[in-house]
């Protein structure tokens, strides 16, 4: 009996611990109605400030996490849902920011997080971002795209969607992937 208990109890503990993963991501409540064909466009300021390749790497970071999300570039501003700019956004300590918009039946655009997204704007804050390497800026861009997709900050300190980017969270982890799947499915 002791032999059986010495095998069964540890197995039961492993099962209970592994089946109780707690996710720490936050969701805004909004989403894209057609996330499988999202296009991004970079203003010429992104290239002139030197963020072009970092932006491309960060924006396509979410591809493949959910089969329903695909982000690719376009050279035409009018065909892009996500638009990226670079410059001084007058926010000390902030690498970049993102804001999503809905469009009503009159075509009017309103900033929102808990809506059906029609557009998103990402701004790179050059005075802060220029101090960092391409890997960090790619992570910042992936983080901002996470916001554009409807993900709020995570409480997991090494998650890409943690409130600040550092050397320990420059890549997506399980919590980030779970967040995108919670919105858009597998």
């Amino acid at each position: 009996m002791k032999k059986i208990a010495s095998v069964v109890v540890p197995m039961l503990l492993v099962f209970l611990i592994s089946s109780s993963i707690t996710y720490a991501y936050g969701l805004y409540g909004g989403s894209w109605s057609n996330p499988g064909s999202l296009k991004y466009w970079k203003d010429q300021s992104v290239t002139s400030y030197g963020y072009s390749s970092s932006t491309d790497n960060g924006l396509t970071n979410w591809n493949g996490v959910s089969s329903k999300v695909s982000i690719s570039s376009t050279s035409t501003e009018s065909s892009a849902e996500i638009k990226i700019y670079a410059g001084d956004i007058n926010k000390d300590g902030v690498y970049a920011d993102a804001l999503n918009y809905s469009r009503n039946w009159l075509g009017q655009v309103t900033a929102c997080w808990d809506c059906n997204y029609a557009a998103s704007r990402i701004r790179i804050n050059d005075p802060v971002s220029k101090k960092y390497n391409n890997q960090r800026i790619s992570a910042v861009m992936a983080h901002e795209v996470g916001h554009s997709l409807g993900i709020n900050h995570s409480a997991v300190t090494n998650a890409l969607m943690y409130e600040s980017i550092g050397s320990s969270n420059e890549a997506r982890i399980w919590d980030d992937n779970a967040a995108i799947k919670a919105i858009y499915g597998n």
Side-chain angles (χ1 to χ4, degrees), residues 94-105:
V94 175
Y95 293 101
D97 67 7
L99 189 57
N100 291 345
Y101 300 91
S102 66
R103 186 170 285 120
N104 69 17
W105 62 278

Side-chain angles (χ1 to χ4, degrees), residues 19-137:
S19 65
S20 63
I21 293 174
T22 302
Y23 297 106
Y25 60 80
L27 304 177
Y28 287 123
S31 64
W32 294 91
S33 58
N34 190 9
S37 61
L38 292 174
K39 301 282 187 213
Y40 72 91
W41 168 84
K42 298 179 291 192
D43 180 70
Q44 58 98 15
S45 61
V46 175
T47 302
S48 66
Y49 279 102
Y51 299 116
S52 188
S53 64
S54 300
T55 299
D56 292 336
N57 292 337
L59 269 104
T60 57
N61 186 280
W62 293 97
N63 288 344
V65 179
S66 166
S67 63
K68 297 181 177 99
V69 174
S70 178
I71 304 170
S72 60
S73 68
T74 181
S75 59
T76 311
E77 180 181 7
S78 62
S79 66
E81 292 87 10
I82 303 171
K83 298 176 182 179
I84 302 103
Y85 303 88
D88 186 347
I89 64 173
N90 296 313
K91 289 186 175 183
D92 292 336
V94 175
Y95 293 101
D97 67 7
L99 189 57
N100 291 345
Y101 300 91
S102 66
R103 186 170 285 120
N104 69 17
W105 62 278
L106 292 172
Q108 298 166 322
V109 178
T110 305
C112 66
W113 287 109
D114 60 346
C115 62
N116 186 16
Y117 305 144
S120 184
R121 183 224 53 222
I122 297 173
R123 301 182 303 174
I124 303 167
N125 192 14
D126 183 62
V128 175
S129 293
K130 70 182 176 185
K131 301 172 188 170
Y132 297 98
N133 64 25
N134 284 346
Q135 182 176 345
R136 177 71 53 87
I137 301 307

